[in-house]
Amino acid sequence: MRILVVEDNIRLADTLAEALMKENYVVDVVHDGKKGYEYGVSGIYDLMILDVMLPLMNGYEILTQMRKDGQELPVLMLTAKTELEDKILGFERGADDYVTKPFEIRELIMRIQAILKRRGAQEIVNLQLGDLVLDNSACELKNIHTGKSMKIAGKEMQLLEKFLLNTNQVLEKEQIATKIWGYESDAEYNNVEVYVSFLRRKLNYLHVNIQIRTVRGVGYLLEECHDK
């Protein structure tokens, strides 16, 4: 899952990003409200951690505009203010939860997990198609019929997870690049081709009955092959 951290305190933002990555979240960080809004409406994130006091555009303004735009991205707000009125304002603008600084990182992570669970984005442990299983907790691919397995990590695991969550759907190259490498990243389209090639080699090695099919001029499709 991909989380956006919008926090102008660089040290705190880096601490949050490091802690979340240890929990296997993919994290992007921005330090002002304008970029926070632009990234927040990109459609590639599963949750936003949003500070209230930000330059260029404050957290309340970002949240209000996002909800007016019809964006339902879960938002956990951060603030140094403890007044009840400030928390009520955040909830009225559409926040899912509210944490007051200073806070314990473990509490923040538990609140994130609770928000995602309420929103129906429960943590994914195993994904399966045909005789292939992706075990996220063990970072492992396995053929459930032969027992043959191998490790997978990083961008390859994120890419395969994206495919397995969208089986039999064509994923555009641009959509893949943005989701895996991030909004406004320097990733080239050929990065997607390279990592698809890596995945195909792994699938061939495991002799599973699924394939990544190229849809010319559009992108890729993960599907089950019944002739294997």
Side-chain angles (χ1 to χ4, degrees):
M1 292 186 179
R2 195 176 203 101
I3 293 179
L4 173 64
V5 176
V6 187
E7 169 61 65
D8 64 332
N9 184 316
I10 296 176
R11 185 173 181 179
L12 175 57
D14 290 344
T15 298
L16 288 174
E18 182 179 355
L20 291 167
M21 287 188 286
K22 286 181 179 178
E23 296 292 322
N24 295 319
Y25 293 108
V26 180
V27 184
D28 292 328
V29 177
V30 295
H31 302 297
D32 68 67
K34 184 178 179 181
K35 283 188 177 180
Y37 171 74
E38 292 173 353
Y39 280 48
V41 298
S42 66
I44 69 170
Y45 297 102
D46 299 291
L47 182 137
M48 174 192 282
I49 298 175
L50 178 62
D51 189 26
V52 171
M53 302 303 293
L54 293 165
L56 303 182
M57 191 176 185
N58 70 45
Y60 295 134
E61 292 170 335
I62 294 171
L63 188 53
T64 298
Q65 190 58 53
M66 285 177 58
R67 296 306 186 231
K68 284 182 178 178
D69 294 341
Q71 296 286 335
E72 297 183 357
L73 177 68
V75 174
L76 172 62
M77 298 200 77
L78 304 179
T79 182
K81 299 180 179 180
T82 59
E83 288 81 1
L84 178 61
E85 289 75 13
D86 294 306
K87 295 183 179 181
I88 290 174
L89 180 59
F91 287 124
E92 287 178 343
R93 301 292 176 92
D96 291 82
D97 204 349
Y98 214 110
V99 174
T100 304
K101 301 176 185 178
F103 53 82
E104 293 290 335
I105 294 292
R106 190 61 217 164
E107 178 189 358
L108 183 76
I109 290 172
M110 291 178 68
R111 286 178 179 267
I112 289 170
Q113 292 170 346
I115 292 171
L116 293 174
K117 186 175 182 179
R118 289 198 302 270
R119 288 294 197 106
Q122 298 187 27
E123 183 179 0
I124 300 165
V125 178
N126 292 330
L127 290 169
Q128 181 177 350
L129 179 65
D131 50 22
L132 177 77
V133 171
L134 169 61
D135 184 340
N136 275 330
S137 61
C139 298
E140 185 178 73
L141 288 177
K142 185 176 182 179
N143 185 321
I144 59 174
H145 289 145
T146 66
K148 196 171 187 179
S149 65
M150 66 187 306
K151 291 293 184 180
I152 186 171
K155 295 290 188 292
E156 287 181 271
M157 187 164 73
Q158 293 173 38
L159 179 56
L160 183 57
E161 180 180 290
K162 176 72 173 174
F163 277 124
L164 286 168
L165 289 170
N166 297 274
T167 57
N168 299 313
Q169 297 181 40
V170 178
L171 300 181
E172 297 178 2
K173 282 188 178 181
E174 183 178 358
Q175 177 187 6
I176 294 171
T178 303
K179 181 66 176 179
I180 304 302
W181 280 272
Y183 184 64
E184 289 188 357
S185 76
D186 294 327
E188 303 277 344
Y189 283 165
N190 62 356
N191 286 21
V192 178
E193 295 173 3
V194 168
Y195 276 85
V196 166
S197 177
F198 291 161
L199 285 181
R200 283 172 170 161
R201 292 177 190 175
K202 285 180 166 56
L203 298 180
N204 288 334
Y205 172 79
L206 293 173
H207 297 293
V208 291
N209 63 344
I210 67 171
Q211 68 173 356
I212 301 172
R213 179 161 60 88
T214 300
V215 179
R216 189 174 300 276
V218 182
Y220 300 96
L221 173 72
L222 183 72
E223 61 185 2
E224 192 171 355
C225 304
H226 297 287
D227 57 344
K228 282 196 175 184

